[in-house]
Amino acid sequence: MILGNQLLSALRDLNIHRLCIPRRLRCNYYLPQCIAVNLLLGRYVLCLGGFGDRIISRFDNLEVIMSSSMGSIPCDAYLAKPNNCLVSLVPFIDVPKKPRFIIDLSLWSSHTRSEKNELIEQVLASIGTIRRYLWDSNLELTSVTEEFLEGFNKFARGFKYGVIIKRDGPIIDDGAVMLDPEGDCVLNEELIRNTHTFIIGGIVDKERRVKGETARLYGLLGLNVPRCRIELRGSIIGVPDRINKVIEIILMTLFETGNIEEAIIKAMSKRDRVNRLFYELQRAAYRLRGEGSTTLVVPKSMIGRINWVNASNKELELVLRKSRVSVIDDEELSKYLSLGIARPGPLTYRYVSKA
């Protein structure tokens, strides 16, 4: 996003208002950012001239046109492979120095084989996430082992990248935070805006449930920075914990939403939404006393307010089955309350209409 906006400015300074791009260029995020990343990777260069056959996007004063040797639309410049360019231009792109993300892999050897593969996948996904907003050099991998590098290069065969890779531990300056689900401070928008470096443990506990791993890493690295957790309305339940998702939440808060809660909800997977909705429903439901048992119920009017994670109808049905919470009419609940056989749960107060 930052690079894309810089590219638009650079093209404007070069008096380029029509840019032809090749059909093979595939982008699933902001197109100017994608083009800037490809230029930095050296996959393409910017060349004078070119023709295209149709306009595919417009950004401010720039028209992006699909390249075609038989096209009738003249372009001011076009993207080409480095060997296929007669006169190239070099647009000025100032790679941002911050925010900086460090994934430290000191605990690599503690993982199972399956977890190591998962960790490599999350690191690769993190590169993709970084590219949507910044550039590869905003991501550092530290305490990297030979085994990790072999696996990483195997998974990333043919994949160009500019990530900083260090065998030593991280060098931390002022303005750093370590992200830890058991940390003693809560990450908020102000902290995100004022933090230069985010340190993330290269930890996957897919097959092992070990508490305090990030704290152990913190001690191994000899850090003296705040350890902050990402919370969603007072709980870490349902907060995405994949490394790439944690990075996405921070970048989305910085460059899109300005609001960490909105960013977390957008980054949630189906599993995250189901887990959080289960948590909310169990605690928001009324306790209905019966003969020797207690039933959990919620009135229809509360369902929409409880489902603030934007779960789909199928996800909601799944949670209702798993949580064994029954949905009843509001009139039926009123009757039970008047008879004194229904009492609110610990979080019911959050979802009772104030009207």
Side-chain angles (χ1 to χ4, degrees), residues 115-278:
E115 289 171 341
K116 287 176 178 177
N117 290 340
E118 174 69 22
L119 182 48
I120 291 171
E121 288 180 13
Q122 290 188 27
V123 169
L124 285 168
S126 297
I127 297 173
T129 299
I130 287 282
R131 286 179 178 177
R132 283 167 47 195
Y133 301 89
L134 303 166
W135 166 239
D136 291 23
S137 59
N138 292 98
L139 178 63
E140 288 182 27
L141 309 180
T142 59
S143 307
V144 169
T145 67
E146 193 64 41
E147 184 187 20
F148 171 83
L149 276 178
E150 288 175 6
F152 182 78
N153 290 329
K154 179 181 176 182
F155 274 75
R157 187 170 291 132
F159 176 69
K160 283 189 172 184
Y161 58 88
V163 173
I164 298 169
I165 297 179
K166 296 179 178 178
R167 294 183 183 272
D168 297 331
I171 298 173
I172 306 301
D173 299 321
D174 292 337
V177 162
M178 184 159 201
L179 299 172
D180 181 354
E182 298 172 66
D184 52 10
C185 75
V186 178
L187 194 71
N188 57 30
E189 293 86 354
E190 184 178 359
L191 258 174
I192 289 174
R193 286 192 300 270
N194 295 324
T195 296
H196 180 281
T197 302
F198 297 90
I199 310 161
I200 304 170
I203 299 167
V204 171
D205 58 355
K206 190 176 180 181
E207 297 177 351
R208 308 158 299 123
R209 288 296 170 190
V210 186
K211 293 196 70 172
E213 284 287 86
T214 307
R216 181 160 79 94
L217 176 61
Y218 185 89
L220 281 173
L221 296 176
L223 297 176
N224 185 25
V225 301
R227 285 169 48 215
C228 297
R229 63 189 183 273
I230 300 177
E231 271 191 3
L232 183 58
R233 298 195 184 184
S235 173
I236 65 169
I237 293 173
V239 174
D241 58 0
R242 286 176 58 90
I243 295 169
N244 54 296
K245 286 291 183 178
V246 170
I247 293 173
E248 181 181 0
I249 288 166
I250 292 167
L251 291 175
M252 199 185 300
T253 302
L254 271 175
F255 299 115
E256 290 187 43
T257 66
N259 179 282
I260 191 169
E261 177 174 308
E262 187 180 341
I264 293 169
I265 293 172
K266 283 187 173 183
M268 290 171 103
S269 65
K270 173 185 174 181
R271 177 174 169 271
D272 297 326
R273 286 191 297 272
V274 166
N275 286 343
R276 186 53 186 253
L277 193 52
F278 182 94

Side-chain angles (χ1 to χ4, degrees), residues 75-87:
C75 290
D76 300 313
Y78 66 99
L79 294 185
K81 293 294 184 181
N83 294 333
N84 298 330
C85 186
L86 295 176
V87 181

Side-chain angles (χ1 to χ4, degrees), residues 11 16 18-21 46-50 75-79 89:
L11 293 177
I16 294 171
R18 281 181 174 172
L19 175 66
C20 281
I21 65 170
L46 191 65
C47 313
L48 278 176
C75 290
D76 300 313
Y78 66 99
L79 294 185
L89 303 167

